[in-house]
Amino acid sequence: MALWRAAGLFLVLVLYGLLSAPAPAEIRLAEAAIGALLVLGVGLLRSLCVATGQTLLECDSPPWETPAVLALAVLLWCPLMRGVWLDWAPGDMVRDVVPLIYLFLPVLLAPMLRAAPDRAVGLLAGGLAVAGVGFALRWWRQADWGFGAVGVRAMADGGVYLLNAPSVLFAAIALPAFGIGMLMHGGWLRRAAGAVAILGGLLCLAALAGAVHRMALGLAAMAFAALGLWWLRRAPLAGLGMGVAALLFVALFPEALFGALERVAEKTRLAGANTRWEEAEAALGQALSSPAAFLFGQGGGALLANPAVGGWRVSYTHTLVTYALAKTGVIGLCALLAYLGGLAPRVLALLRSDPALGWAVLGPLLMALGAHTSFKYLDTGLLLTLAMVAAERRKRLPPS
């Protein structure tokens, strides 16, 4: 059963990357299929156990699940009841509830995948890579396959912000990292697959460079530098191969590479922090508007006059901390930090036991949870799920 659930999640990610959007404006056939597959993957029994708190009584659950279940209860019901009390629009409340469920997918999915951890990790990682490449290909199609524009000018993000999906950065890091390993070892078929993986990763990196996604590019550079140093110490041949590949890339595409660095510097000079500080000030001001707002936030469905979008009243902010503070107050923010604090040791354990997968997961998570709206996206929750299942598998941790 665990294998079938993992296969269903792989199909979810394929549909997501090829047919959907990181933040779809409406529910179409693709989104309906994704939702149905997610419901089937979680199952009714697990959903009821989490919703009723039954999982808190399970003696074989890992340590991170207890704070996660409690945090989900706080972050779901308190803002929802306050939103109803303040009479916010039902559609806006739904837009807050669905991303919350995505963020807590590890609570719902990880226990269902433990019976087949190796297959689950492979299918989840493969699905995220396919989704990332799918988003990148669709963005390149919107850009009329203008590869020559990379490093020359900043290209448009497009109408549905396909490159904001964390799976694009995951693919940009994971595919070259695993592709180099495949080139170093194995027969011709494995090496051919490694070459295809590297090309897929470079396609995602080029897209991020073309649209000048500064944080994504910086995190990718950090990941490759860390992996290169680790490989030089543990697997010199792979480290040498990565170094040769980097030098070859610089020799073949110097104008694109250095031009991309210039575009990053120019965007930083012009845009700075993209009004993130002003947005944080607005969220804090809303939280301090009353004692109830400070403790519980303005509730699910609340709107904020957001300086980051010209002062329009919108239902989101660009960082998870300001979003949680505005919607759920200090109590919700503490619950969120308890949840993420419980997951953090597993992510760090994965970083030590499987650096290639660990860095591929950590980079997108830092972007999504730290300074980007992608904390609301489906692939963020699936990245967290992948980290939990992979950390338990790699460290051979007992369930309790």
Side-chain angles (χ1 to χ4, degrees), residues 207-307:
L208 293 170
V212 198
H213 280 233
R214 294 173 292 168
M215 188 171 189
L217 293 170
L219 288 168
M222 181 179 70
F224 289 131
L227 285 173
L229 292 173
W230 184 84
W231 275 332
L232 281 174
R233 186 163 57 93
R234 295 292 185 90
L237 187 60
L240 182 62
M242 188 172 185
V244 170
L247 290 174
L248 183 62
F249 183 78
V250 172
L252 291 175
F253 307 104
E255 294 181 359
L257 179 61
F258 293 111
L261 293 176
E262 291 178 3
R263 299 285 76 73
V264 168
E266 180 67 10
K267 185 175 181 178
T268 302
R269 184 184 69 84
L270 294 174
N274 278 340
T275 65
R276 293 294 192 270
W277 296 114
E278 293 83 353
E279 181 182 69
E281 185 179 357
L284 181 61
Q286 182 160 299
L288 294 174
S289 61
S290 70
F294 178 72
L295 290 175
F296 303 106
Q298 292 288 9
L303 302 180
L304 173 72
N306 195 331

Side-chain angles (χ1 to χ4, degrees), residues 134-151:
F135 283 132
L137 284 171
R138 290 165 62 192
W139 181 84
W140 278 116
R141 185 178 63 182
Q142 290 180 2
D144 293 325
W145 311 102
F147 297 105
V150 176

Side-chain angles (χ1 to χ4, degrees), residues 40-90:
L40 289 174
V42 173
L44 180 61
L45 180 60
R46 180 63 188 177
S47 302
L48 289 174
C49 287
V50 172
T52 60
Q54 175 67 29
T55 53
L56 299 174
L57 304 177
E58 296 175 358
C59 60
D60 60 344
S61 61
W64 63 268
E65 278 193 23
T66 298
V69 172
L70 292 172
L72 176 57
V74 171
L75 290 165
L76 177 62
W77 296 113
C78 290
L80 197 57
M81 288 187 292
R82 183 154 171 77
V84 172
W85 177 262
L86 295 174
D87 197 27
W88 300 132

